[in-house]
């Protein structure tokens, strides 16, 4: 009875357009009233759920992303990508994907990657004769790499929720992110070949590549500092986040001079608002998870799914299907916070590594950025490309299919995620 009322409340609030944190919070209140829990329960969970050292990494990576998004690093990464892949058939599309791959390692946000890279590349592709739907679909899909490539806020949230190392998740996310990026480039190449999109760019000479590399070296140093510091045991993910902020701020204000003092307030304001919304969602979802635990929902989930099959591959397919369906109508972070406590006992029961499962979950949830009605990337892409949501939803289908195929490969070949650990 309690669980039914909780999910009915959550579904109704989402249909009414309530913010996801508010919808979850009201669902918690309903669960408390039905179960007779004291009002102090919610207050305690709102406080204790945020009393986590790994969560301190979130505001720092959010702020680092804001600094680099407002600076000049995206333009410099674009120049590097152009020198590397601009000569391939459909070259500008490949530049978009590769730049998104690079920028994802800076921003950790999918919509921010679409806005920063797509804002430059969609008009450029339209000028070069690419169809508006294709140009927007490429950049909208490539933006999903922002949450796959570390440092990534969803990876941090999964790590704290599942109780696994955020540093290990960052390392494990490198190759899968590159793999998904390659799958998008292959899809872009096939479409470009069929439609006759060619490129006027010649293969860049080594000196040109060298100049582009030197010009973007400051941006490329960010993932090296973060991942190198974590993997080398020099820094925790939280300390790496602080280092990323300090480095990005120094580079953009002192060396590149792309950000002035007037920009700092806007950066701080945006970072605070983003962090506040994330932390409110974390707090309410943690309280919801506790109520579900009181009602033995994780145990019920294990019993139901293992009753269907005890084969890990069958269960993994069912879980992926669930994640893809839920991702169409629920926010990515909410998915992680609500579903991780429910699904983790199932995957552990059949011997699936929680690090590997975390990568599969993040990639599956990232696909939700491309599926209406909650596909955030679609709305950002529509705004940039001046295209209807219906047209973009159709144009993005080939890229959606390639990402799902890549997800299945990652799910059934765990070595791609775990080989660097």
């Amino acid at each position: 009875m309690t669980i039914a009322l909780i999910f009915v409340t959550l579904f109704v609030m989402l249909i009414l357009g309530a913010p996801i944190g508010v919808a979850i919070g009201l669902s918690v209140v309903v669960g408390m009233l039905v179960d007779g829990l004291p009002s102090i329960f919610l207050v305690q969970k709102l406080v204790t759920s945020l009393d986590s050292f790994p969560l301190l990494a979130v505001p720092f990576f959010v702020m680092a992303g804001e600094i680099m998004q407002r600076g000049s690093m995206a333009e410099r990464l674009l120049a590097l990508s152009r020198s590397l892949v601009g000569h391939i058939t459909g070259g500008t599309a490949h530049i978009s994907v590769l730049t998104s791959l690079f920028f994802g390692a800076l921003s950790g946000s999918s919509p921010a990657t679409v806005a920063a890279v797509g804002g430059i590349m969609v008009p450029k592709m339209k000028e070069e004769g690419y169809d508006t739907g294709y140009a927007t679909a490429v950049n909208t899909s490539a933006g999903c790499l922002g949450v796959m490539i570390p440092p990534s806020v969803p990876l941090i949230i999964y790590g704290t929720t599942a109780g696994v190392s955020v540093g290990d998740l960052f390392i494990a996310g490198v190759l899968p992110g590159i793999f998904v990026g390659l799958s998008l480039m292959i899809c872009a190449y096939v479409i470009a070949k069929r439609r006759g999109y060619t490129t006027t760019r010649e293969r860049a000479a080594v000196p040109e590549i060298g100049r582009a590399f030197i010009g973007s070296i400051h941006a490329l140093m960010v993932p090296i500092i973060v991942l190198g510091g974590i993997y080398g045991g020099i820094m925790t993910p939280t300390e790496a986040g602080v280092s990323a902020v300090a480095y990005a701020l120094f580079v953009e204000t002192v060396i590149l001079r792309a950000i002035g003092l007037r920009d700092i307030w806007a950066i701080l304001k945006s970072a605070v608002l983003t962090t506040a919304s994330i932390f409110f969602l974390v707090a309410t979802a943690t309280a919801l998870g506790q109520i579900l635990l009181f009602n033995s929902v994780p145990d019920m989930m294990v019993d139901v799914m293992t009753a269907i099959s005890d084969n890990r591959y069958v269960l993994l397919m069912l879980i992926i299907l669930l994640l893809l369906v839920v991702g169409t109508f629920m926010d990515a972070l909410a998915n992680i916070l609500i579903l991780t406590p429910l699904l983790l006992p199932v995957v552990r029961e059949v011997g699936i590594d929680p690090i590997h499962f975390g990568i599969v979950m993040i990639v599956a949830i990232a696909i939700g950025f491309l599926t209406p009605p909650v596909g955030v990337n679609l709305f950002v892409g529509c705004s940039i490309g001046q295209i209807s949501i219906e047209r973009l939803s159709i144009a993005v289908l080939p890229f959606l299919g390639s990402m799902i195929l890549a997800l299945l490969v990652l799910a059934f070949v765990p070595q791609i995620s775990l080989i660097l650990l």
Side-chain angles (χ1 to χ4, degrees):
M1 179 64 177
T2 302
I3 303 306
L5 286 174
I6 285 175
F7 283 105
V8 166
T9 303
L10 180 60
F11 182 75
V12 169
M13 294 306 299
L14 291 176
I15 291 296
L16 293 175
I20 184 66
V22 174
I24 294 175
L26 290 175
S27 301
V28 171
V29 172
V30 169
M32 289 169 54
L33 293 174
V34 175
D35 282 349
L37 295 173
S39 57
I40 193 66
F41 168 82
L42 180 58
V43 177
Q44 288 176 333
K45 287 302 167 187
L46 292 177
V47 174
T48 58
S49 62
L50 301 179
D51 186 16
S52 169
F53 183 71
L55 274 181
L56 280 176
V58 172
F60 293 114
F61 283 122
V62 168
M63 185 171 178
E66 288 287 340
I67 293 170
M68 291 179 282
Q69 184 180 347
R70 292 172 185 268
S72 63
M73 291 189 180
E75 289 279 3
R76 295 169 184 272
L77 291 172
L78 178 62
L80 176 61
S81 300
R82 184 182 295 114
S83 69
L84 292 174
V85 298
H87 62 282
I88 303 173
T89 298
T92 315
H94 303 308
I95 293 170
S96 297
V97 176
L98 189 58
T99 305
S100 296
L101 192 66
F102 287 143
F103 194 79
L106 308 182
S107 72
S109 166
S110 185
T113 303
V114 177
V117 179
I120 299 170
M121 293 305 300
V122 171
K124 182 68 175 174
M125 291 182 71
K126 289 165 70 174
E127 286 177 10
E128 293 185 4
Y130 289 89
D131 175 72
T132 301
Y134 175 75
T136 311
V138 168
N139 287 275
T140 302
S141 305
C144 294
L145 298 171
V147 297
M148 300 178 199
I149 296 291
S152 160
V153 170
L155 284 174
I156 297 172
I157 299 300
Y158 173 83
T160 55
T161 306
V164 298
S165 168
V166 174
D168 286 348
L169 286 168
F170 279 4
I171 301 301
V174 174
L175 292 182
I178 294 173
F179 179 74
V180 175
L182 288 174
S183 73
L184 291 174
M185 292 179 74
I186 292 171
C187 180
Y189 176 85
V190 171
I191 297 175
K193 197 77 172 176
R194 288 181 176 178
R195 297 185 180 181
Y197 295 143
T198 57
T199 179
T200 58
R201 297 183 180 88
E202 297 181 356
R203 183 185 295 271
V206 173
E208 183 182 346
I209 296 175
R211 287 192 295 272
F213 178 80
I214 292 172
S216 61
I217 191 66
H218 299 301
L220 296 175
M221 282 300 296
V222 175
I224 293 174
I225 291 171
V226 172
L227 298 180
I230 294 172
Y231 197 60
I234 302 171
M235 297 180 284
T236 65
T238 301
E239 292 165 344
V242 176
S243 300
V245 170
Y247 174 81
L249 194 60
F250 177 77
V251 168
E252 292 286 9
T253 57
V254 177
I255 299 178
L256 303 180
R257 299 182 182 276
I259 291 177
L261 291 177
R262 293 181 179 179
D263 299 309
I264 301 300
W265 173 249
I267 290 170
L268 287 171
K269 181 180 178 181
S270 180
V272 167
L273 290 174
T274 302
T275 302
S277 64
I278 292 173
F279 277 3
F280 181 65
L281 179 57
V282 169
T284 54
T286 301
L288 176 59
Q290 190 64 55
I291 292 179
L292 297 178
L293 184 62
F294 288 159
N295 287 273
S296 303
V297 174
D299 294 335
M300 292 165 54
M301 182 73 77
V302 172
D303 293 340
V304 169
M305 298 198 75
T306 53
I308 297 174
S309 174
D310 58 359
N311 184 294
R312 70 167 67 182
Y313 301 109
V314 174
L315 288 175
L316 202 50
M317 281 296 296
L318 291 174
I319 290 172
I320 288 172
L321 182 61
L322 173 66
L323 291 172
L324 291 176
V325 171
V326 174
T328 63
F329 62 85
M330 191 176 292
D331 175 81
L333 295 184
N335 275 333
I336 297 170
L337 291 161
I338 293 174
L339 295 179
T340 299
L342 302 181
L343 297 176
L344 203 58
V346 178
V347 300
R348 281 179 167 152
E349 180 75 16
V350 295
I352 298 174
D353 188 288
I355 296 290
H356 170 229
F357 175 68
I359 299 302
V360 171
M361 187 177 203
I362 297 303
V363 175
I365 286 172
I367 293 173
F369 285 106
L370 298 178
T371 52
V374 186
V376 180
N377 283 15
L378 292 178
F379 296 107
V380 178
C382 287
S383 175
I384 293 171
Q386 297 298 302
I387 185 175
S388 69
I389 187 73
E390 295 83 8
R391 185 179 172 191
L392 181 56
S393 296
I394 294 172
V396 87
L397 286 177
F399 299 97
L400 192 63
S402 70
M403 290 181 67
I404 292 175
L405 287 176
L407 169 63
L408 294 176
V409 173
L410 293 173
F412 296 115
V413 187
Q415 291 80 5
I416 300 175
S417 303
L418 303 177
I419 193 171
L420 295 180
L421 296 178

